[in-house]
């Protein structure tokens, strides 16, 4: 299965346990979940665990045969991962969720369709902006914001002579990304 497979093809592949479909879903979505977890006091390993749990929930849903996904896979996995992460933080005493809330029910029944559509649109705009940004800016920003590499690591990875040059290049790339994103976002 190619990375250009449709969402329904990916879900059908997931339902059948198709390894390639699972890999494409992983490739297309893990960095978003990694960013969510790391930006909310988690680690790379936390992100892997949460993503795996969210993928298992999606797998179990598609296995029923009557599951209708009302958003993009990315939005669904993001919503489930966010709830799972908040629950984990709650168990660690780092976040409070009312005990009246049934997490499973809350995840799948209270998602506002308008919010989901807006998130889908925002993700698409950001993906397009990142793709238009080109290399090495795309990799530089992913290394800094998603992989949490330091300036000295970035300087070494991208061949800059010192950390100041890496910092300047990161800033320029970020400004270009913002310009590309907001040019589409305002439309």
């Amino acid at each position: 299965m190619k990375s250009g497979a449709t969402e329904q093809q990916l879900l059908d592949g997931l339902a059948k346990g198709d390894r390639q479909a699972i890999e494409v879903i992983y490739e297309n979505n893990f960095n978003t979940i990694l960013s969510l977890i790391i930006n909310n006091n988690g680690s790379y390993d936390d992100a892997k665990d949460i993503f795996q749990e969210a993928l298992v929930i999606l797998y179990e849903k598609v296995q029923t045969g009557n599951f209708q996904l009302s958003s993009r896979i990315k939005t669904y996995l993001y919503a489930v991962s966010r709830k799972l992460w908040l629950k984990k933080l709650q168990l660690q005493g780092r976040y409070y969720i009312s005990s009246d809330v049934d997490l499973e029910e809350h995840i799948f029944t209270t998602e506002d369709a308008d919010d989901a559509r807006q998130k889908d649109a925002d993700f698409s705009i950001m993906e397009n902006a990142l793709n238009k940004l080109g290399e090495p800016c795309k990799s530089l920003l992913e290394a800094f914001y998603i992989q949490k590499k330091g300036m000295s690591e970035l300087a070494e990875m991208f061949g800059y002579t010192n950390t100041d040059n890496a910092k300047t290049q990161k800033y320029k790339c970020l400004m270009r990304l913002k310009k590309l994103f907001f040019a589409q976002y305002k439309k």
Side-chain angles (χ1 to χ4, degrees):
M1 182 167 293
K2 297 177 182 175
S3 62
T6 67
E7 297 263 305
Q8 190 58 51
Q9 289 172 325
L10 291 173
L11 289 175
D12 292 344
L14 179 62
K16 295 175 188 169
D18 180 351
R19 184 181 179 97
Q20 288 180 321
I22 295 168
E23 287 174 359
V24 170
I25 291 171
Y26 195 94
E27 286 175 17
N28 291 346
N29 300 289
F30 178 70
N31 282 341
T32 301
I33 305 310
L34 177 62
S35 179
L36 167 72
I37 301 302
I38 285 180
N39 289 326
N40 289 286
N41 302 316
S43 67
Y44 183 83
D45 288 338
D46 291 329
K48 285 174 37 180
D49 291 345
I50 292 294
F51 185 78
Q52 186 67 30
E53 287 181 55
L55 197 55
V56 167
I57 289 172
L58 179 60
Y59 173 77
E60 290 172 351
K61 290 290 183 183
V62 297
Q63 283 289 302
T64 64
N66 59 3
F67 175 67
Q68 292 289 323
L69 187 61
S70 60
S71 65
R72 291 178 55 200
I73 293 171
K74 183 180 294 279
T75 303
Y76 183 86
L77 289 173
Y78 183 89
V80 172
S81 296
R82 183 176 181 275
K83 298 295 179 187
L84 291 171
W85 182 239
L86 291 177
K87 184 176 181 181
K88 187 170 185 175
L89 290 177
Q90 180 192 26
L91 291 173
Q92 295 172 349
R94 296 164 46 190
Y95 184 79
Y96 175 74
I97 298 175
S98 170
S99 61
D100 298 342
V101 175
D102 177 352
L103 187 62
E104 285 292 318
E105 186 175 311
H106 185 72
I107 289 171
F108 304 110
T109 60
T110 62
E111 184 178 80
D112 183 349
D114 290 337
D115 287 346
R117 279 189 284 276
Q118 184 60 48
K119 284 180 186 171
D120 283 347
D122 292 348
F123 282 135
S124 292
I125 293 169
M126 183 54 78
E127 284 176 7
N128 287 338
L130 272 171
N131 289 332
K132 287 180 181 177
L133 188 61
E135 295 295 341
C137 279
K138 180 180 176 186
S139 296
L140 179 66
L141 293 177
E142 287 176 346
F144 182 77
Y145 289 105
I146 296 173
Q147 299 166 7
K148 300 295 183 187
K149 303 283 185 191
M151 283 300 153
S152 60
E153 287 178 281
L154 292 177
E156 186 177 324
M157 286 173 64
F158 293 93
Y160 299 118
T161 54
N162 57 47
T163 57
D164 289 337
N165 288 340
K167 190 181 295 184
T168 300
Q169 188 59 42
K170 181 194 70 78
Y171 177 78
K172 288 178 180 177
C173 291
L174 182 61
M175 292 301 106
R176 285 183 49 208
L177 179 63
K178 283 183 175 180
K179 186 176 179 180
L180 290 168
F181 177 81
F182 286 110
Q184 291 295 311
Y185 190 76
K186 292 177 181 176
K187 290 182 180 178

